[in-house]
Amino acid sequence: MARYVFITGGVVSSLGKGLASAALGALLQARGFSVRLRKLDPYLNVDPGTMSPFEHGEVFVTDDGAETDLDLGHYERFTGVSARKTDSVSSGRIYSTVLEKERRGDYLGKTIQVIPHVTNEIKEFLRIGDDEVDFMLCEIGGTVGDIEGLPFFEAIRQFIHERPRGQSILMHLTLLPYLAASGELKTKPTQHSVKELQSIGLAPDVLVCRSEHPIPDKEREKIALFCNVRKDAVIAAYDLKSIYEAPLAYHREGLDQAVLDAFGISPAPRPNLGRWEDVMDRLNNAEGQVRVAIVGKYTQLEDAYKSIAEALTHGGMANRVRVKVEWVDAELFEREDPAPHLEGFHAILVPGGFGERGTEGKIKAAEFARTRGIPYLGICLGMQMAVIEAARNVAGLTTAGSEEFDHEAGKKRFEPVVYHLKEWIQGNHKVERKAGDDKGGTMRLGAYSATLTAGSKVAGVYGTTHIEERHRHRYEVDIKYREKLETCGLAFSGMSPDGRLPEIVEWKDHPWFIGVQFHPELKSKPFAPHPLFADFVRAAVETSRLV
Ligand code: GLN
């Protein structure tokens, strides 16, 4: 039976609950325990798949094809444990299951209520995989007091109560605002948010207090007294230069010790923090810097490309250089020549995206990288744009484009080099998609394997010819054009095992130009940088030496 840590937040949102949860996971691992992290989101969307990246940040895709919250990305990056479909749930998903059951008649005519039907469904979710790990860390989205969150808090209250004593604890994150005028850290909002928790039957065992200033002993005592937690379970969380400092910083502040104490685990196994010390050493002792341009659409919100930014940082760590990422709005190149904007970058990355806006600009960026010999990594839409660029400018298919952008029936603007795939093979079964299917969950999602051409650049980068990577897209490059493009020098160096779906393309006579239909960034970790990112940054370093 796993021990459960529930992680909640109060006072304000965006306190870094996800990061605190992920860091705690890493610290428990460092002490030899196995962990799994989960996210419970109170919003009513069934999953974040259809939410705008502007609003919600990136959609993180799991191996088993779930479209989840970006916090699951943090969890994976810090623990290396691959997230599953069952590690993320929203109110929308819970309610939709309850309503489905109601329609099927599963409740035998009973009146359906939040307690017990919705809360039971949440508890059932919490119990999944309970016998697989030592610790289950469950983060609740939002802040205590949010109306949508209530069923989750109530379910947790019941869950803790129904389990043997000492099997579950609650860790609560709050903010200690600093009043410059009086030079004080204020504890009242923390007290109120703990009261709010207590009013719904929950009491924190560990309090994590975000603060921009050192928390004096006196304030710690006050918080402990008024919030009914032990003084050494009041943990300070100061601002960090890098998120990867979090495990060591939280360890210094005593978070893992406080959690183990709360469970009564004594003596606590000694931690082995070597992995994180190495990560910090690589971050702190980088030599030199490379500049990478990300040419995309959602450039206002960095969270929209969270995993890509992190994977680039990991690539930098692999090469002991700092990667300076700059966001360039693709639409700019629809009006202006890309050269003055892209000159000076040591590498160009075109990330994934949906819809036509900005795509002509991305094609220009691909052309610039190809013709100037600048390292280029195209991810998903970024690969599709590179193929269209090759088709138009090298293979002479001047009207090449993607079916994604041909909306008007009967009026084809483009020759569909990238087309809408309607059926494909996943494992040993066929998946089919019909026109007019719901927008949510109709993509090729999750892990698929690919076979790489021996001797190709990517096979060298990966050091193998068989890989498995995560996907999230509706459109595919049409193999009809393979021969034509290969004759021009664009090798289709990675294919689905049945040979029907292009997974990777690369320019043969270019220092480093690779497009991938999948999302390698999702699998990169600071302690295990993804080979594509590590090699992309290596190529950027080489470019930087040329200038
Ligand atoms: N819009 C493209 C597709 O659906 C690419 C998706 C992506 O970049 N994730 O195929």
Side-chain angles (χ1 to χ4, degrees), residues 352-355 379-381 384 404 472-475 517 519:
F354 292 84
I379 293 177
C380 208
L381 189 69
Q384 298 173 357
E404 182 172 4
R472 180 174 185 253
H473 56 108
R474 291 193 178 83
Y475 298 83
Q517 188 55 73
H519 290 277

Side-chain angles (χ1 to χ4, degrees), residues 412-431:
K412 284 250 168 274
R413 288 190 290 150
F414 296 122
E415 171 158 5
V417 172
V418 178
Y419 71 109
H420 191 181
L421 182 76
K422 301 280 181 5
E423 56 174 65
W424 65 89
I425 305 294
Q426 179 167 33
N428 3 331
H429 72 280
K430 192 159 99 184
V431 188

